[in-house]
Amino acid sequence: MSVSRTTATLAGLALIVFPFVALLVKFVVPGWMLVFMLLYSPVLLIGWATQIVIAANGLLRARGVLRTGSAGLRPIIAAWLTSVAVVGVGFFLIDGGDDGNSGSAFTELAGTSSTSAGSDLSMILCLACAVVWAGAWLWLLIEWIAQLVLASNARRAQAMPA
């Protein structure tokens, strides 16, 4: 089952662009969490680089393994869940500085920054997004590896003499 070009292209571009969007959203309320994210940025950058490779190899190429393989829409769903969830983490992550104020883009929009109720709700939603993000990223990675193995086996089977 082949995935349409538009569907695959949009999912591939989302994998590349949405982590950057999440970082921009996080800059609405910068603070110490942003500093810690930068300290752990090698891990995040490796994950993002892997997403870019998956997008380029599996979704953006005309014969990409996630477009032409047997997985169907599963990798597309995983790509969109990963992409949207990372923006959700950036949107809901509570941050604050030395001035005692804290909040997230969500609490800023809701007018509940530096309140217990706003912080609690924002962190619950952030945690939910983080779990979806990690799970969908692993799901996407597994789908990509599985399709690479299946494509390799199919090429090997075709190359064997009858």
Side-chain angles (χ1 to χ4, degrees), residues 22-44:
L23 188 59
L24 290 176
V25 168
K26 181 65 206 107
F27 273 108
V28 170
V29 183
W32 285 109
M33 286 301 290
L34 191 57
V35 172
F36 292 127
M37 287 171 54
L38 293 175
L39 291 175
Y40 290 102
S41 64
V43 174
L44 296 173

Side-chain angles (χ1 to χ4, degrees), residues 3-143:
V3 175
S4 79
R5 178 181 180 193
T6 303
T7 301
T9 300
L10 290 174
L13 290 174
L15 282 171
I16 295 168
V17 173
F18 278 32
F20 183 69
V21 171
L23 188 59
L24 290 176
V25 168
K26 181 65 206 107
F27 273 108
V28 170
V29 183
W32 285 109
M33 286 301 290
L34 191 57
V35 172
F36 292 127
M37 287 171 54
L38 293 175
L39 291 175
Y40 290 102
S41 64
V43 174
L44 296 173
L45 287 174
I46 289 169
W48 191 11
T50 303
Q51 276 185 215
I52 292 170
V53 169
I54 291 171
N57 178 274
L59 295 168
L60 297 176
R61 283 186 26 218
R63 298 187 44 77
V65 294
L66 296 178
R67 286 179 63 177
T68 60
S70 61
L73 290 176
R74 288 190 322 253
I76 303 298
I77 294 166
W80 277 108
L81 283 174
T82 298
S83 300
V84 170
V86 72
V87 174
V89 169
F91 185 70
F92 293 113
L93 183 63
I94 294 291
D95 211 341
D98 293 334
D99 63 359
N101 293 326
S102 64
S104 64
F106 169 73
T107 60
E108 288 292 322
L109 286 173
T112 59
S113 289
S114 296
T115 66
S116 180
S119 293
D120 290 348
L121 179 59
S122 196
M123 283 310 291
I124 288 169
L125 294 172
C126 179
L127 181 60
C129 287
V131 168
V132 170
W133 175 25
W137 187 88
L138 285 172
W139 177 22
L140 179 65
L141 182 66
I142 291 167
E143 290 284 355

Side-chain angles (χ1 to χ4, degrees), residues 66 140-150:
L66 296 178
L140 179 65
L141 182 66
I142 291 167
E143 290 284 355
W144 180 58
I145 292 169
Q147 290 305 311
L148 284 173
V149 168
L150 290 172

